[in-house]
Amino acid sequence: MPCRSDKHSARVPKLELFAGRLGIVVALLALAAVLAALKPNFLSAANLTNVVRQVSINGILAVGVTAVLLTGGVDLSLGALVALTGVVAAHLAHPGAYPLLVPIAAGILAGAACGAVNGAVVTRCGVPSFIATLGMMTAARGLALVLSDGRPVSNMSPALTRLAGDVAGIPVPALILAAVAAAVAWMLRNLRLGRYLYAVGGNEQAARAAGIRVQGVKFAAYLLCGALAGLAGVVLAARITTGQPNAGVAYELDAIAAVVIGGTRLSGGVGGVGGTLLGVLLMGVIGNGLDLLNVPSYYQQIVKGVIIIGAVWFDRCHQASGKERGV
Amino acid sequence: MKRACVLLLAVLCGCGRSGDQGARDARPVIGVSLLNLSNEFVVTLREAMASHAKELNVRLIVNDAQRSPERQVQQVETFIAQRVNAIVLNPCEVEASSPAVQKALAAGIPIVNVNSETKAVPSAFVGSRDEESARLGMAYIADRLKGRGGVLIMEGYMGQAAQIKRGEGAREVLAKNPGLRLLAAQTAEWDRAKAVTLMENWLQAYGSSIQAVFAQNDEMAMGALLALERAGRKKDVVVVGVDAIADALQAVRDGRLDATVFQDGLGQGRGAIDAALRLIRKEPVEKATFIPFRLVTQENVASFIR
């Protein structure tokens, strides 16, 4: 059946509540209803807390890469950066070594530094982002192996592992994701840089003609994305109480998938953080639900793929052709 | 860098030998192609072989195939061109590394497979039965639960030889203990972070019926352990892993992890050099030598911590 979006354009203004992603919201609710019917404890407070905890790392990465995708670029180095920054943080987080802030800041700075290199290679050297960040993916993974000597870096101070714990029943990683998402959403909406990200991704020539420093805007996107990957790396290290040089394999694909499910265009210029959070949540619920239902591992992968494609297709059918920019 | 040095060394040695046929160095030469030197276990294998070769006055040329069967076959071809006396192969893959074995045998050079198998039959094999590691771990669980209770299995990357064989070994023990109920078996892809998430979900799905978790490697066992500890449920659940990595041994010693299974890399490395040397001297050799796994619990963990 062909997907005709023009018919539904009249409905759009009402959908802004769901960041303009009715299709994904419907898919999410339908999935939740099915899971609740099959497994009543899906809706238990403990399990929903679980889902929120489990999506946090992918969420932080996805919010960061949203900025890069908006400019029309891509960042494939995220998973390797998670490993590298986790190893860096774990090295500085042995009990009694440094105050808690040191490993956290070092992880974020290491991520930001790699992001800056990505940005510089893309904007100064003119290397396509796919290749630049692919190179960074390999190099950062190698650096993580060198720094850790190929072994997990353990003996982590409980102060840092508490970053993966709960505060008043709410998982700390989820609170971090909420803060990050709110800050980036606000930036996209209210700061000049945020609006420029859309402009650069929408039409680079026009943006340049309008006097926007296109290269600077792109650089900022990679820098932000790298810093958030660093934050995600620190949170992951806290969650698994070690810095793992082999951690984070293919995390970039999960993050990019979530962003695209959430309506951000791979070609740039359209999308936003609200949709990204919905995408992250949808992927998290799928993973959690398949485990609860004990779907065999081979089939899990098939089901996951089908649901993701189905959700995006359904969503695109209910998209307005004109007003797509939701934040 | 290290690999470049090894290659350079190999080239230099090769030239030296073709120049004045072993006039200065009469020691036997064994070429070694390893799966991947960024894997902790393979590093142990190399160290065991190097120290044993030194004791026996054998010269080793060690190459790292970095998980590439193609590179591994090339390395063996180079060994053949250098006319080494024997080859020790730590295969990358069952099928794709087979040509390495066939080429060595065709050139009349004995070849010993260490740790894992190839489809082509080598002169000798020295390793361990992966099924046995899982059998030991699951038997320990059966013992601790007195043959009754709900068990979960965390599997490795689906379709890999270790996942399949460790799965078979674990299920054999389950079949012999009808009181043990397999609640679920899912993959966490050898990964600690994925294991934490899977265990959190299992705690929601199976709650108090979980009495034991068997993880096919220690990384996943550590992940399951973390999730159970965070949920305050570790005291009612037995957790067992395989591999005896440093973190797991530490956790066993601290009384957090119940058991792990030790694969004897030292024994395998030494055994491979012994077999290769016997083949060089044309002495009789066991076609397949299996080095036993050992269960590690709090009682004997001290002897495994280096």
Side-chain angles (χ1 to χ4, degrees):
Chain A
M1 195 181 87
C3 168
R4 267 182 263 127
S5 51
D6 47 344
K7 265 184 16 189
H8 303 276
S9 51
R11 286 197 216 152
V12 169
K14 281 183 271 175
L15 309 183
E16 285 294 314
L17 255 182
F18 308 116
R21 319 298 328 167
L22 177 70
I24 298 302
V25 174
V26 170
L28 197 54
L29 291 179
L31 195 61
V34 171
L35 286 171
L38 293 172
K39 277 271 169 187
N41 57 357
F42 169 75
L43 288 179
S44 71
N47 190 55
L48 293 180
T49 312
N50 243 349
V51 173
V52 177
R53 190 199 324 273
Q54 291 167 3
V55 302
S56 304
I57 289 161
N58 188 29
I60 296 168
L61 292 172
V63 168
V65 83
T66 300
V68 172
L69 290 177
L70 281 177
T71 68
V74 72
D75 191 340
L76 300 179
S77 65
L78 295 179
L81 293 191
V82 164
L84 173 63
T85 57
V87 165
V88 167
H91 264 305
L92 302 171
H94 299 312
Y98 298 99
L100 175 63
L101 210 58
V102 173
I104 297 176
I108 296 172
L109 285 176
C114 294
V117 173
N118 279 336
V121 173
V122 170
T123 58
R124 304 263 160 198
C125 314
V127 176
S129 61
F130 188 97
I131 298 300
T133 60
L134 188 71
M136 176 58 78
M137 164 173 141
T138 317
R141 179 75 62 190
L143 195 54
L145 284 164
V146 169
L147 288 180
S148 62
D149 204 13
R151 297 184 173 95
V153 182
S154 44
N155 188 23
M156 186 179 284
S157 133
L160 186 61
T161 60
R162 241 172 263 139
L163 214 56
D166 293 358
V167 166
I170 304 170
V172 178
L175 294 173
I176 296 175
L177 170 60
V180 163
V184 175
W186 181 83
M187 185 272 284
L188 289 178
R189 209 185 272 273
N190 298 311
L191 288 193
R192 202 181 290 165
L193 173 65
R195 298 197 301 274
Y196 287 177
L197 285 168
Y198 287 96
V200 167
N203 186 335
E204 198 171 323
Q205 260 72 42
R208 194 170 284 123
I212 295 174
R213 285 176 50 223
V214 170
Q215 306 301 0
V217 171
K218 284 189 179 176
F219 179 84
Y222 291 97
L223 182 70
L224 174 69
C225 188
L228 288 182
L231 179 60
V234 175
V235 174
L236 180 72
R239 182 162 157 80
I240 58 179
T241 70
T242 42
Q244 293 267 13
N246 298 316
V249 172
Y251 277 23
E252 60 279 354
L253 296 183
D254 276 352
I256 292 168
V259 176
V260 174
I261 290 170
T264 296
R265 278 205 192 144
L266 278 171
S267 53
V270 173
V273 170
T276 293
L277 288 183
L278 286 173
V280 165
L281 213 51
L282 182 74
M283 293 189 58
V285 168
I286 295 173
N288 173 261
L290 292 176
D291 281 347
L292 291 190
L293 293 176
N294 194 24
V295 176
S297 300
Y298 293 149
Y299 292 97
Q300 282 211 9
Q301 305 180 18
I302 301 172
V303 173
K304 208 170 170 179
V306 168
I307 294 179
I308 289 171
I309 294 171
V312 172
W313 177 69
F314 184 75
D315 180 58
R316 295 300 185 269
C317 289
H318 290 77
Q319 264 306 303
S321 46
K323 199 178 169 194
E324 280 185 290
R325 195 188 125 173
V327 174
Chain B
M1 185 63 211
K2 199 182 282 170
R3 199 173 142 260
C5 288
V6 171
L7 270 179
L8 189 66
L9 202 69
V11 170
L12 287 177
C13 297
C15 295
R17 282 188 63 77
S18 58
D20 45 2
Q21 265 312 336
R24 275 177 301 181
D25 195 347
R27 291 183 297 166
V29 180
I30 300 177
V32 182
S33 173
L34 294 171
L35 161 69
N36 176 20
L37 275 176
S38 63
N39 174 321
E40 212 176 324
F41 180 79
V42 179
V43 174
T44 308
L45 268 185
R46 181 194 60 185
E47 283 164 5
M49 287 194 237
S51 68
H52 197 48
K54 208 168 172 190
E55 287 163 20
L56 298 173
N57 200 25
V58 174
R59 205 155 61 86
L60 285 193
I61 304 171
V62 181
N63 286 354
D64 179 5
Q66 297 172 322
R67 288 186 197 281
S68 158
E70 192 196 348
R71 195 171 292 143
Q72 184 151 58
V73 174
Q74 285 167 7
Q75 289 172 352
V76 168
E77 283 168 350
T78 310
F79 290 148
I80 294 169
Q82 287 172 256
R83 304 300 313 160
V84 298
N85 303 101
I87 294 169
V88 172
L89 186 73
N90 172 211
C92 294
E93 270 182 34
V94 176
E95 296 271 355
S97 292
S98 278
V101 173
Q102 287 157 346
K103 284 182 183 191
L105 293 176
I109 297 176
I111 181 161
V112 179
N113 282 359
V114 62
N115 184 246
S116 45
E117 295 169 47
T118 55
K119 197 157 185 220
V121 182
S123 317
F125 170 81
V126 179
S128 301
R129 287 190 176 94
D130 249 332
E131 306 90 310
E132 189 195 323
S133 65
R135 235 180 271 141
L136 271 175
M138 195 56 105
Y140 172 79
I141 286 173
D143 200 39
R144 281 284 300 271
L145 300 186
K146 304 199 167 54
R148 304 198 65 78
V151 180
L152 292 162
I153 298 181
M154 261 189 204
E155 307 206 68
Y157 208 90
M158 300 302 281
Q160 284 186 355
Q163 176 264 323
I164 295 168
K165 292 192 168 179
R166 289 177 185 184
E168 283 169 10
R171 283 178 175 80
E172 267 174 47
V173 177
L174 285 181
K176 280 187 211 144
N177 290 273
L180 291 182
R181 204 152 46 86
L182 180 62
L183 300 172
Q186 292 284 356
T187 181
E189 299 178 359
W190 309 121
D191 182 85
R192 197 180 298 204
K194 290 205 168 88
V196 173
T197 298
L198 180 58
M199 194 67 232
E200 285 170 353
N201 290 342
W202 273 346
L203 279 168
Q204 298 306 317
Y206 304 105
S208 57
S209 47
I210 305 170
Q211 264 112 51
V213 178
F214 174 68
Q216 288 185 352
N217 80 347
D218 280 340
E219 285 291 345
M220 296 191 294
M222 293 303 292
L225 180 66
L226 283 171
L228 285 163
E229 285 177 341
R230 288 216 177 100
R233 289 287 318 282
K234 177 57 192 81
K235 56 189 185 307
D236 348 291
V237 181
V238 178
V239 183
V240 176
V242 177
D243 284 344
I245 64 170
D247 267 12
L249 290 173
Q250 184 75 34
V252 170
R253 194 180 68 177
D254 298 345
R256 295 169 60 214
L257 186 67
D258 296 274
T260 178
V261 180
F262 174 75
Q263 181 167 198
D264 190 358
L266 197 70
Q268 290 186 17
R270 295 171 66 94
I273 295 301
D274 282 336
L277 203 57
R278 293 182 76 88
L279 286 162
I280 292 172
R281 293 181 184 145
K282 307 217 183 311
E283 292 167 4
V285 183
E286 288 284 336
K287 205 66 187 153
T289 309
F290 291 103
I291 310 288
F293 282 93
R294 282 144 77 192
L295 186 76
V296 184
T297 60
Q298 206 169 12
E299 284 98 70
N300 65 353
V301 67
S303 63
F304 292 91
I305 293 179
R306 271 174 289 169

